[in-house]
Amino acid sequence: MLSQAIKVSVVGASGYSGAELLKILLRHKKVQIQKLFANSSAGKRVAEVYPFFTQQVDAVYEQYSLEAACTSDVVFIALPSGEAMNVVPELLARGKRVVDFGGDFRLRDAAVYQKYYKRDHTAASLLSQAVYGLPEWNRAQVKPAKLVANPGCYPTGAALPLIPLLKEGLIEPKGIVINSLSGISGAGRSASTDMSFTEVNESVKAYKVGVHQHIPEILQTLRDTTQQSVAVTFVPHLLPVTRGIYTSIYATVTHAQTESEVLAAYEKYYAREPFVRFSATAIPEIKNVNYTNYIDIGFRLYPENHQIIVLSAIDNLVKGAAGQAVQNMNLMFGFDETEGLI
Amino acid sequence: MLSQAIKVSVVGASGYSGAELLKILLRHKKVQIQKLFANSSAGKRVAEVYPFFTQQVDAVYEQYSLEAACTSDVVFIALPSGEAMNVVPELLARGKRVVDFGGDFRLRDAAVYQKYYKRDHTAASLLSQAVYGLPEWNRAQVKPAKLVANPGCYPTGAALPLIPLLKEGLIEPKGIVINSLSGISGAGRSASTDMSFTEVNESVKAYKVGVHQHIPEILQTLRDTTQQSVAVTFVPHLLPVTRGIYTSIYATVTHAQTESEVLAAYEKYYAREPFVRFSATAIPEIKNVNYTNYIDIGFRLYPENHQIIVLSAIDNLVKGAAGQAVQNMNLMFGFDETEGLI
Amino acid sequence: MLSQAIKVSVVGASGYSGAELLKILLRHKKVQIQKLFANSSAGKRVAEVYPFFTQQVDAVYEQYSLEAACTSDVVFIALPSGEAMNVVPELLARGKRVVDFGGDFRLRDAAVYQKYYKRDHTAASLLSQAVYGLPEWNRAQVKPAKLVANPGCYPTGAALPLIPLLKEGLIEPKGIVINSLSGISGAGRSASTDMSFTEVNESVKAYKVGVHQHIPEILQTLRDTTQQSVAVTFVPHLLPVTRGIYTSIYATVTHAQTESEVLAAYEKYYAREPFVRFSATAIPEIKNVNYTNYIDIGFRLYPENHQIIVLSAIDNLVKGAAGQAVQNMNLMFGFDETEGLI
Amino acid sequence: MLSQAIKVSVVGASGYSGAELLKILLRHKKVQIQKLFANSSAGKRVAEVYPFFTQQVDAVYEQYSLEAACTSDVVFIALPSGEAMNVVPELLARGKRVVDFGGDFRLRDAAVYQKYYKRDHTAASLLSQAVYGLPEWNRAQVKPAKLVANPGCYPTGAALPLIPLLKEGLIEPKGIVINSLSGISGAGRSASTDMSFTEVNESVKAYKVGVHQHIPEILQTLRDTTQQSVAVTFVPHLLPVTRGIYTSIYATVTHAQTESEVLAAYEKYYAREPFVRFSATAIPEIKNVNYTNYIDIGFRLYPENHQIIVLSAIDNLVKGAAGQAVQNMNLMFGFDETEGLI
C-alpha cells in the first residue's frame, strides 16, 4: 500500500454492488479498505457470504457505527434507497466525504423524491449540495464534492448517449422513447419469489411502466446538462441475464442528418473520455461491456421516419454502480480517473 | 383417425418450426400426417434428428418430390424464405392448398420483396392470390384460400396489439415505435458462430436495425387492416432465451384517454378471439405464452407524454409460426379453430 | 365432460408441481376438477397467480377444508413434505383416495423418516398401507390403493434405470454411484436468496451431499424391487435450468458384458412401458423429455474398468411429480394409463 | 512497460482461450505483446472480432509466420489439438520457448495420442522433452522448460483434488469415478448446430462417454504424480453455462477417516499454493471461481459406504486454459507466479 493511500469504508457492503465495489477496491492501488459494514451479515466473514473472496479478503462484515466509519477518508453507501439518508448527514457532519449508490441524493426536489420513492425525504437540506456523479458531464463539480450521488444504472445508460445529440440540436427534446433491459442483479440480493430463477428464467417482462423512480432522474439529468425541456417515455424490462443494461433509444432527428454529423457530436464530447466507446457501425452488445466500466454506444439513422435509434450497453454493477462510484472517488481524490477500473 | 381426417405434408419438416408443427399435428384429431420432407435430413428418422419424438413418430424424413407431396390435401411449407417460391407454384397447379411459413408470399409488391429479401421473386404472379394468414383479421379470406402466407413472428406480435387502437382512432398512425425481443430459436436450426451458446448467452443486442424484412410486412398489415397511412420504427433484438417474442410498442394517443377506452377497443375486436388475451392490469411475460398459441396484450397510459405503451408476448414457434399455421389450416378446412391448439 | 368422469381436487395447488398437475388435468378427458386448495394464495384467481392459465381456468384457490375436499373422488396432495401427514389421515378416514406428491408416505420406516426429514412422523400408522407409486414396478398394488406415495424426482430418475440391471444380475448391488443434476423448479416456488436468479445462474453446485432425504427412498425402492442388499452413493447438484433431472449412474458389472445383454434387460422389463424409452446408442438429454412424462435411458459399457455408465433424463415436474401422479391416478381408476399424458 | 519485460506472441489468438489469454496479458506487468496470429481472422482488428477489446487493443490479427513469431521470447499456442505439432518443432528449433494449450504434447506415448486423438503424431520426438504444466506438481520442471504442455481443463479439475488423497494413501487408486460438467465455451469458437444456443440451452447431456481424449491425460497425470496404478471412469457432460468446469469425484477410502485427515492431506500439499483453495465445509460453486485462476476444492465423507466425495470448480478458460498458461510462463521466466492473475 503506497503511503498516499486513502482510507475507504463501505456501508451496505454485502449487497451485489457492495461486493462488486470490493472487487474493484482490491485492484485499486491508492486505497486502504478500512471497514465493511453490513446489517444482516454483520459478524460473518466476507468470504463466507461471498466465497469468491476466499484467500483474498480476510475481513469480517461489521455492524455500522459512526465512529468506526469515521476512521475513513471516504465512505461508500451501497444501501438500498431510503436508508442512506439516515447515515449521510452524520458522516458529512463529521467531515467525511461520501459517495452514495442509491437514489436518496440524486433528485434535487424532495417532492419529486417523495412522489417516486414513496417516502418522505428526511435529509432534504442536503439535496442542494449533493453532486450528481456522472463524471463525463459533472467532472468539475465532482472533484471538490463532499457528497456525490452516484447515478442510477438506467439513467447512466440513457443519459450518456442522449446528451451529445441534444446539446448539438440533432434530436427533438420531446417524444424520446427509452426502452431499457436490465439483468436481474439490478434487483439486488434478497429473497423474493419474483426474482427466483424459475420465475425469471426463459422469460422477459416490462415492469414499473411509467412509474419507475429513474424517470425523474433521467429527466433532471438531461435538463441539467442540456438546458432543454426534455420529455421521455421510459420502460424498463427484466432480462434473464445476471448483468447488463441494454438501452434502445428512439428519437426524432431535427433535420436530415448523416452518420458523420452524429459521430461528430459524440467525438466532440467523448473523444477523450476513458470509459465511453462509440461507433457509427458497431451495434453494442452486453457481453462486450460486462465486467468493465465502459459504456458502448451505437446508432442507426432511419431517415424515412426522421428517426434515430441509439443503442447503449453497460454493466449495471460496474458503470451502473460500483465502477462509476470508484471513477467518482478517483476524481474526488485526484487519482488517475481509470485507477482500479482498467 | 376419424374418417373425415385430411392428409397433410410438411416441406422443410426438420427445422424448428417444422418440428413444432409436428408436435401440434400429433395432437390434432382431424389430420393424418402423410409426408415429412427435409433436404439435409432426408433418409433419417425423425426421432433420430429430434429424439423428443422417440416412440411417438416412426416416420423418416424424405426428399421432397411433387408427386409425393400431392398425396396430401394441404402442404405446409416450413422452408427458409426464398425456397418456398420454388415449390409453391407447382403445388398450386396440382390443386393442393398451401400454408407457407416463410416470407415469400406475404408481401404483395415484388419490388418490396426484392428490396428487403435481397433476391428476385420468381413467382410474383401468385402474390395477388396469396392470403395473409392473420386469422383475427383475415378469417373470411383464409377460409377459401388456396395459398395462405403465414405471418412472421415479429409482425404477429406487433400488428395484433396495434390494429384495434388504430381502427378506433386512439393512436396516431405516425411515429409508432416497435421494440421487439426475440428468442434464439427464431434464427432457425443451423450452424452459425453468431447463434452459438457462448456468443448469445448472457448478452443481448439489436440487429438489422431499420432493414429487417419484417418492416414492410408490418406496414402492409397495418395499412391493409386500418386503411391508414401508418409509419413505424421497428428494431428487433436477440434475447438469450430459446422461445418467445416480446414486443414493446410506443404510440402517441390522439386525445386524453382512459384505460376503459383502450380496453373497449380490444374488447370490440378480440372479445371472442380464442387466442388473444388482453388486460388493462396484467403485464405480459413470455413465460405465460410459451408453448401456447396465445398472444398476451397489456398496456399502460402515460398521459403526461400523450403516450400509450402496449406490450405483447407470443411464442415465436407457436403463434409466431406453427400454431398460427394450424389455426389457418383449421379455418381452411372448416375445423374448430382451436383444434390441436388448446 | 364425459359421464364417467371422476372428481379430483388438489391440496397445495399453487406450487410448481400443483400448477403442472393442473395443466395435465385440463387435458385429461376423464376428470372434473373440483377444488384447488392453496394456503397463501387462497382467495386469488388461479390465472392471477399463474397468468399462463388465463382464459383456461376460471377457478379461485380456496382455503383447504375437509368437507370441501370430500366432494372429490381423489385428492392430490402437492404440499411440501411434512404437511401432507396433517391432512391425509382425515381424507382416508372419509374414504377418499389420495395421491401424495411429497415424502411423507414414501418411507415405510418412521425412524428413517425422522432421521432424514428432521421431524417426527405423526401418521406413522398409515405407512404400511401406502403404496409407492412407481407404476413400472408397482402397477398391481397401485390399482386398488387408497394412498399412493408418488415417488421423488431423483428416485424416479435413479431407480428406473437401475432396477432391470440389478434384477438381471448385471451389476454389483454395492458401490453404485448416482450423480444427479436438477433444474431449479425442483426447489419449489418460494422466496429464497439461494434460489434467486443471480445466485444460481451461470453456476452449479452439489448440495446436501450424503444427507439428502431421497437417499433412503432410493435404497428402499431398489431393495424392494430387487431383494438385494444395495448400497449407493448419491449426490444431487443444482443446475441453472428450469426443468429436468439428469442422472449419471456408475456401477460395476458382474462379468464381461455386451451391449445386447444390457439392452435385453431393459427390453425384458420395459418393452411395453408407455413412458420408458431406452437405447443402446442415444445419449439422453433433458430437452428430449422436458414437458413430457417420459424417462429416457441410455448407457455405455466401459469394459476395461468393469464399469457401466447409465444415464437418464426426466422432467422433474412431470415424470418426477405431476405426470407420474396422473399416471398413478389413471391406474387407480382404470383409465388408459397414458390418458392426459401423451 | 518495464525494461525487463519479455516479448510474447500468441498463435491461434482469435479463439476463446486466446482471447482470455489476451485479457490476462493486458494486465501483466512483465510482458510486451508482440504478435497475435490467427488464420481465419487474419487481417481483422482484434477489436472487430472481440469488441470487448475496443480502446484497449489496437492490434490486428496476422497470418502466422515463423519469422514473425521468432521476434518473441515465448510463444503461446492456442490452436486446436492437432495443429500445434505443425508449428512447435520449428519454434523450438529457433530457440523459442513454447506453452501449448492443446493436447499435442501432453501425452508421452504417441500411440495413446493416436488412439484418442484419431490422428498420427507428427512430432513424436518432442514428447519426451515436453513438460506437463501443472504448476502445483511440476513447478521445478516447468521453470527451465522449453516446451510446456498446458493441462486440459477436465484433467486440471480432476487431478488437483485427487493427487493429495492418493499420495497420502487415503483413497483406493482403483474405482475412481469422475463426473465432470463443462460450460459451452470449452467447445471453442466455431459454427456448429450442436453448440447453438437453442440446442444446448435448458438441457444437459453426457458426451464422449468412455472415449474422451482427456481420459489418458488424467491417468498419466495421476500415475506420474503418485506412482500408483490408478483406474478412473470419466464422464464429461455439457452444461448450459458459458464458463466453468464442475467435477464430482467418488472414491473409496482406504480406512475409516476423519475430515481432519483429509484436510491435512490438502494442507500438506496446497497450504502455500496461490491458486488452490480447499475447505472441509464449503461446497465449491462455479460462480466462485469464474474469471479467476483459482480451483476450489471441497469434500464430504460418506463413512457408511467407505466413500469420499470430492468436488472441485474451475473456470475452464482461466485455470483450465489461459490462466494456467500464464502461471506457467511466470514460472518459466522467474516472475511472481501470480503476476497478471490476481
Side-chain angles (χ1 to χ4, degrees):
Chain A
M1 191 58 58
L2 302 183
S3 56
Q4 72 271 38
I6 60 168
K7 293 174 180 168
V8 308
S9 290
V10 184
V11 187
S14 68
Y16 290 138
S17 49
E20 194 70 21
L21 176 61
L22 182 51
K23 285 188 205 175
I24 297 169
L25 294 176
L26 290 172
R27 292 195 300 259
H28 198 289
K29 294 195 196 71
K30 303 291 179 67
V31 304
Q32 180 183 322
I33 301 168
Q34 201 74 0
K35 295 285 182 187
L36 300 172
F37 299 110
N39 266 335
S40 58
S41 299
K44 290 188 184 163
R45 292 176 51 249
V46 171
E48 181 189 346
V49 178
Y50 289 101
F52 178 90
F53 290 114
T54 305
Q55 285 191 18
Q56 299 188 279
V57 178
D58 280 332
V60 170
Y61 290 119
E62 298 177 37
Q63 199 73 37
Y64 170 79
S65 86
L66 178 60
E67 286 314 308
C70 283
T71 61
S72 322
D73 299 299
V74 61
V75 179
F76 291 98
I77 314 286
L79 294 168
S81 297
E83 298 185 23
M85 56 188 176
N86 298 327
V87 298
V88 167
E90 64 189 23
L91 287 164
L92 292 178
R94 293 283 292 265
K96 299 297 133 187
R97 300 176 81 177
V98 169
V99 179
D100 176 28
F101 283 47
D104 285 4
F105 297 98
R106 293 183 196 148
L107 300 172
R108 268 193 313 281
D109 184 337
V112 176
Y113 180 88
Q114 202 281 336
K115 175 180 172 193
Y116 280 91
Y117 286 86
K118 313 289 181 203
R119 72 174 73 84
D120 289 330
H121 204 298
T122 61
S125 65
L126 294 175
L127 292 177
S128 61
Q129 72 176 83
V131 171
Y132 189 71
L134 195 65
E136 290 77 8
W137 292 96
N138 297 337
R139 194 169 275 120
Q141 302 93 303
V142 167
K143 286 179 180 177
K146 293 296 187 190
L147 170 56
V148 168
N150 208 47
C153 50
Y154 289 124
T156 299
L160 286 176
L162 275 169
I163 299 171
L165 306 185
L166 287 164
K167 283 186 82 83
E168 295 303 294
L170 301 181
I171 58 171
E172 300 288 351
K174 299 293 172 75
I176 297 171
V177 164
I178 301 170
N179 189 95
S180 293
L181 312 173
S182 173
I184 312 295
S185 63
R189 185 167 189 263
S190 62
S192 145
T193 304
D194 281 359
M195 297 302 149
S196 73
F197 185 87
T198 305
E199 292 299 313
V200 297
N201 187 40
E202 293 294 294
S203 198
V204 69
K205 68 168 173 182
Y207 71 102
K208 286 196 181 179
V209 180
V211 299
H212 195 283
Q213 66 276 10
H214 285 171
I215 294 173
E217 183 181 338
I218 293 170
L219 287 172
Q220 175 182 288
T221 303
L222 296 180
R223 289 167 184 165
D224 281 5
T225 51
T226 70
Q227 274 75 49
Q228 297 178 29
S229 178
V230 177
V232 306
T233 300
F234 167 66
V235 178
H237 302 69
L238 266 187
L239 197 69
V241 302
T242 295
R243 288 160 171 258
I245 301 272
Y246 200 84
T247 309
S248 303
I249 301 168
Y250 303 80
T252 305
V253 292
T254 46
H255 58 91
Q257 280 158 18
T258 60
E259 274 188 10
S260 25
E261 282 180 277
V262 178
L263 204 54
Y266 286 123
E267 269 165 5
K268 177 171 176 182
Y269 295 103
Y270 294 151
R272 278 181 304 275
E273 280 300 334
F275 296 116
V276 182
R277 303 189 296 199
F278 53 89
S279 163
T281 53
I283 294 288
E285 302 186 45
I286 282 176
K287 69 180 173 188
N288 296 331
V289 298
N290 266 359
Y291 297 93
T292 82
N293 199 49
Y294 289 109
I295 180 168
D296 276 3
I297 300 173
F299 65 91
R300 288 289 185 276
L301 286 165
Y302 219 127
E304 61 269 40
N305 289 2
H306 308 291
Q307 286 253 305
I308 186 170
I309 295 109
V310 189
L311 305 156
S312 83
I314 61 169
D315 183 325
N316 59 306
L317 294 177
V318 188
K319 184 63 176 170
Q324 189 149 255
V326 171
Q327 191 180 352
N328 280 312
M329 179 197 74
N330 286 340
L331 290 169
M332 292 162 79
F333 288 88
F335 303 144
D336 182 330
E337 191 168 334
T338 67
E339 175 55 40
L341 294 171
I342 284 188
Chain B
M1 191 58 57
L2 304 183
S3 56
Q4 71 273 40
I6 59 167
K7 294 174 179 168
V8 308
S9 290
V10 184
V11 186
S14 68
Y16 289 137
S17 50
E20 194 70 22
L21 176 61
L22 182 51
K23 284 188 206 174
I24 297 170
L25 293 176
L26 290 173
R27 294 195 299 261
H28 198 290
K29 295 197 195 70
K30 303 291 179 66
V31 303
Q32 178 183 323
I33 301 168
Q34 201 75 359
K35 295 285 180 186
L36 300 172
F37 300 110
N39 266 333
S40 58
S41 299
K44 289 187 185 165
R45 291 176 52 249
V46 172
E48 180 189 348
V49 178
Y50 288 100
F52 178 90
F53 289 114
T54 305
Q55 283 190 20
Q56 298 187 281
V57 178
D58 280 333
V60 170
Y61 290 119
E62 299 176 39
Q63 198 74 38
Y64 170 78
S65 84
L66 178 60
E67 286 315 308
C70 282
T71 61
S72 323
D73 299 300
V74 62
V75 179
F76 290 99
I77 315 285
L79 294 168
S81 296
E83 297 185 22
M85 56 189 174
N86 298 327
V87 298
V88 167
E90 64 189 23
L91 287 165
L92 293 178
R94 293 283 291 265
K96 299 298 130 186
R97 298 178 81 176
V98 170
V99 179
D100 177 30
F101 283 47
D104 285 4
F105 297 97
R106 292 182 196 147
L107 300 174
R108 268 193 314 282
D109 184 336
V112 175
Y113 180 88
Q114 202 282 334
K115 175 180 172 192
Y116 280 91
Y117 287 85
K118 312 291 181 200
R119 70 173 75 85
D120 289 330
H121 204 298
T122 62
S125 64
L126 295 176
L127 293 177
S128 61
Q129 72 176 85
V131 171
Y132 189 71
L134 194 65
E136 291 76 10
W137 292 96
N138 298 336
R139 194 168 275 120
Q141 301 94 300
V142 167
K143 287 179 180 176
K146 294 296 185 188
L147 169 57
V148 168
N150 207 50
C153 50
Y154 288 123
T156 299
L160 286 176
L162 275 169
I163 298 171
L165 305 186
L166 286 165
K167 282 187 81 83
E168 295 303 293
L170 301 180
I171 58 172
E172 298 288 352
K174 298 295 171 77
I176 297 171
V177 164
I178 301 170
N179 188 95
S180 293
L181 313 173
S182 172
I184 311 294
S185 62
R189 186 168 189 262
S190 63
S192 144
T193 304
D194 281 0
M195 297 303 149
S196 73
F197 185 87
T198 305
E199 292 299 314
V200 297
N201 186 40
E202 293 295 291
S203 196
V204 70
K205 67 170 174 182
Y207 71 103
K208 286 195 181 180
V209 180
V211 300
H212 195 283
Q213 67 275 12
H214 285 172
I215 294 173
E217 183 181 338
I218 293 170
L219 287 173
Q220 175 183 290
T221 303
L222 295 180
R223 289 168 183 165
D224 282 4
T225 50
T226 70
Q227 274 75 48
Q228 296 178 29
S229 179
V230 177
V232 306
T233 300
F234 167 66
V235 178
H237 302 68
L238 266 188
L239 198 68
V241 302
T242 295
R243 289 160 170 259
I245 300 272
Y246 200 83
T247 309
S248 304
I249 301 168
Y250 303 80
T252 307
V253 294
T254 47
H255 58 93
Q257 281 157 17
T258 60
E259 274 188 9
S260 27
E261 282 180 278
V262 178
L263 205 53
Y266 286 124
E267 270 165 5
K268 176 171 176 183
Y269 295 103
Y270 294 150
R272 279 181 304 275
E273 281 300 333
F275 296 115
V276 183
R277 304 189 295 200
F278 54 89
S279 163
T281 53
I283 293 288
E285 301 186 46
I286 282 177
K287 69 180 174 189
N288 296 332
V289 297
N290 266 357
Y291 297 92
T292 82
N293 198 49
Y294 289 109
I295 180 168
D296 276 4
I297 299 173
F299 65 91
R300 286 292 183 276
L301 287 165
Y302 219 130
E304 62 268 42
N305 289 0
H306 310 291
Q307 286 252 302
I308 185 168
I309 295 108
V310 189
L311 305 157
S312 83
I314 60 169
D315 183 325
N316 59 306
L317 293 178
V318 187
K319 184 62 175 170
Q324 188 149 257
V326 171
Q327 192 180 352
N328 280 312
M329 181 197 73
N330 287 340
L331 290 170
M332 292 162 79
F333 289 88
F335 303 143
D336 182 329
E337 192 168 336
T338 67
E339 174 56 40
L341 295 171
I342 283 189
Chain C
M1 191 55 57
L2 302 183
S3 55
Q4 72 273 39
I6 59 168
K7 293 173 180 170
V8 309
S9 289
V10 185
V11 187
S14 68
Y16 290 137
S17 50
E20 194 70 22
L21 176 61
L22 182 50
K23 284 188 206 175
I24 296 171
L25 294 176
L26 290 173
R27 292 194 302 259
H28 198 289
K29 295 195 194 71
K30 303 290 179 66
V31 304
Q32 179 182 325
I33 301 168
Q34 200 75 358
K35 295 284 182 188
L36 301 171
F37 299 110
N39 267 334
S40 59
S41 299
K44 289 187 185 165
R45 292 176 51 251
V46 172
E48 181 188 348
V49 178
Y50 288 101
F52 178 89
F53 289 114
T54 304
Q55 285 190 18
Q56 298 187 280
V57 178
D58 279 333
V60 170
Y61 290 120
E62 299 177 38
Q63 199 74 38
Y64 171 79
S65 84
L66 178 61
E67 287 313 310
C70 284
T71 62
S72 322
D73 299 300
V74 61
V75 179
F76 291 98
I77 314 286
L79 294 168
S81 297
E83 298 185 22
M85 55 189 175
N86 297 328
V87 298
V88 167
E90 64 189 23
L91 287 165
L92 292 178
R94 293 282 292 266
K96 299 298 133 187
R97 300 177 80 177
V98 170
V99 180
D100 178 28
F101 284 46
D104 285 3
F105 297 98
R106 292 182 198 149
L107 300 173
R108 270 193 313 282
D109 184 336
V112 176
Y113 180 87
Q114 202 281 334
K115 175 180 172 193
Y116 281 91
Y117 286 86
K118 313 288 181 204
R119 70 174 73 85
D120 289 330
H121 203 298
T122 62
S125 64
L126 295 176
L127 293 177
S128 60
Q129 71 176 85
V131 171
Y132 189 71
L134 195 64
E136 291 76 9
W137 291 97
N138 297 337
R139 193 168 275 120
Q141 302 94 302
V142 168
K143 286 179 180 177
K146 293 295 185 190
L147 170 55
V148 168
N150 207 49
C153 49
Y154 288 123
T156 299
L160 286 176
L162 274 168
I163 298 171
L165 306 186
L166 286 165
K167 281 187 83 81
E168 295 303 294
L170 301 180
I171 58 171
E172 299 288 351
K174 299 294 172 74
I176 296 171
V177 164
I178 301 170
N179 188 96
S180 293
L181 313 173
S182 172
I184 311 296
S185 63
R189 185 166 190 263
S190 61
S192 145
T193 304
D194 281 358
M195 297 302 149
S196 72
F197 184 87
T198 305
E199 292 299 315
V200 296
N201 186 40
E202 292 295 293
S203 197
V204 71
K205 67 168 174 184
Y207 70 103
K208 287 196 181 181
V209 181
V211 299
H212 195 282
Q213 67 276 13
H214 284 171
I215 293 173
E217 184 181 337
I218 293 170
L219 287 173
Q220 174 182 286
T221 302
L222 295 180
R223 289 168 184 166
D224 282 5
T225 50
T226 70
Q227 273 75 50
Q228 297 178 31
S229 179
V230 177
V232 307
T233 300
F234 167 66
V235 178
H237 302 69
L238 266 188
L239 197 69
V241 302
T242 295
R243 289 161 170 257
I245 301 271
Y246 200 83
T247 309
S248 304
I249 301 168
Y250 303 79
T252 306
V253 293
T254 47
H255 57 93
Q257 280 156 19
T258 60
E259 275 189 7
S260 25
E261 282 180 276
V262 179
L263 205 54
Y266 287 124
E267 269 165 7
K268 177 171 175 182
Y269 295 102
Y270 294 151
R272 279 180 304 274
E273 281 299 334
F275 296 116
V276 182
R277 303 188 296 199
F278 53 90
S279 163
T281 52
I283 294 288
E285 302 186 46
I286 282 177
K287 69 180 174 190
N288 296 332
V289 297
N290 265 358
Y291 298 94
T292 82
N293 198 49
Y294 289 109
I295 180 169
D296 276 2
I297 300 174
F299 65 91
R300 286 288 184 277
L301 287 165
Y302 219 127
E304 61 270 42
N305 289 0
H306 310 289
Q307 287 253 302
I308 186 170
I309 295 110
V310 189
L311 305 157
S312 83
I314 60 169
D315 183 325
N316 59 306
L317 294 177
V318 188
K319 184 62 175 169
Q324 189 149 255
V326 171
Q327 192 180 352
N328 280 312
M329 180 196 75
N330 287 340
L331 289 170
M332 292 162 78
F333 289 88
F335 304 144
D336 181 329
E337 192 169 334
T338 66
E339 175 55 41
L341 295 170
I342 283 189
Chain D
M1 193 54 59
L2 302 183
S3 56
Q4 71 272 41
I6 59 166
K7 293 173 179 167
V8 308
S9 289
V10 184
V11 186
S14 68
Y16 290 138
S17 50
E20 194 70 21
L21 176 61
L22 182 51
K23 284 188 206 175
I24 298 170
L25 294 176
L26 290 173
R27 293 195 300 259
H28 198 289
K29 294 196 195 70
K30 302 292 179 65
V31 303
Q32 179 183 324
I33 300 168
Q34 201 73 1
K35 295 285 180 186
L36 300 172
F37 300 110
N39 267 334
S40 58
S41 299
K44 289 187 184 166
R45 292 175 53 249
V46 171
E48 181 189 347
V49 178
Y50 289 101
F52 177 90
F53 289 114
T54 304
Q55 284 189 19
Q56 298 187 282
V57 178
D58 280 333
V60 171
Y61 290 120
E62 298 177 38
Q63 199 73 39
Y64 171 78
S65 84
L66 178 61
E67 287 314 310
C70 283
T71 61
S72 323
D73 299 301
V74 61
V75 179
F76 291 99
I77 315 285
L79 294 168
S81 296
E83 298 185 23
M85 57 189 173
N86 298 326
V87 298
V88 166
E90 64 190 22
L91 288 164
L92 292 178
R94 294 282 292 266
K96 300 298 132 187
R97 299 177 81 176
V98 169
V99 179
D100 178 29
F101 283 48
D104 286 2
F105 298 98
R106 293 181 195 148
L107 300 173
R108 267 193 315 280
D109 184 335
V112 175
Y113 180 88
Q114 202 281 333
K115 174 179 172 192
Y116 280 92
Y117 286 86
K118 313 289 182 203
R119 70 173 75 84
D120 289 329
H121 204 298
T122 61
S125 65
L126 295 175
L127 293 177
S128 61
Q129 72 177 84
V131 170
Y132 190 70
L134 195 65
E136 291 76 9
W137 292 97
N138 297 337
R139 193 168 275 120
Q141 302 94 300
V142 167
K143 286 179 181 176
K146 293 296 185 190
L147 170 56
V148 168
N150 207 50
C153 49
Y154 288 123
T156 299
L160 286 176
L162 275 169
I163 298 170
L165 306 186
L166 286 165
K167 282 187 82 80
E168 295 303 294
L170 301 180
I171 58 172
E172 300 288 352
K174 298 294 170 78
I176 297 171
V177 165
I178 301 170
N179 188 96
S180 293
L181 312 173
S182 172
I184 312 294
S185 63
R189 185 168 190 261
S190 63
S192 144
T193 303
D194 281 359
M195 297 304 149
S196 72
F197 185 87
T198 305
E199 292 299 313
V200 297
N201 186 41
E202 292 295 292
S203 197
V204 71
K205 66 168 174 183
Y207 70 103
K208 286 195 182 181
V209 180
V211 300
H212 195 284
Q213 67 276 9
H214 285 170
I215 294 173
E217 184 181 338
I218 293 169
L219 287 173
Q220 174 182 289
T221 302
L222 295 180
R223 289 168 183 166
D224 282 4
T225 50
T226 71
Q227 274 74 50
Q228 297 178 29
S229 178
V230 178
V232 306
T233 300
F234 167 67
V235 179
H237 303 67
L238 266 187
L239 198 69
V241 302
T242 295
R243 289 160 170 258
I245 301 271
Y246 200 82
T247 309
S248 303
I249 301 167
Y250 303 80
T252 306
V253 294
T254 47
H255 58 93
Q257 280 156 20
T258 60
E259 273 188 9
S260 26
E261 282 179 277
V262 178
L263 206 54
Y266 287 123
E267 270 165 6
K268 176 171 175 183
Y269 296 102
Y270 293 150
R272 279 180 305 274
E273 282 299 334
F275 296 116
V276 182
R277 304 189 296 200
F278 54 90
S279 164
T281 52
I283 294 289
E285 303 187 44
I286 282 178
K287 69 180 174 189
N288 296 333
V289 297
N290 265 357
Y291 297 93
T292 82
N293 199 48
Y294 288 109
I295 180 167
D296 276 3
I297 299 173
F299 65 91
R300 287 289 183 277
L301 286 165
Y302 218 128
E304 61 269 41
N305 290 359
H306 310 290
Q307 288 252 301
I308 185 169
I309 294 108
V310 189
L311 304 157
S312 82
I314 61 169
D315 183 325
N316 59 307
L317 293 177
V318 187
K319 184 61 175 171
Q324 188 148 257
V326 170
Q327 192 180 353
N328 280 311
M329 180 197 73
N330 287 340
L331 290 169
M332 292 162 78
F333 290 87
F335 304 143
D336 182 328
E337 192 169 333
T338 67
E339 175 56 40
L341 295 171
I342 284 187

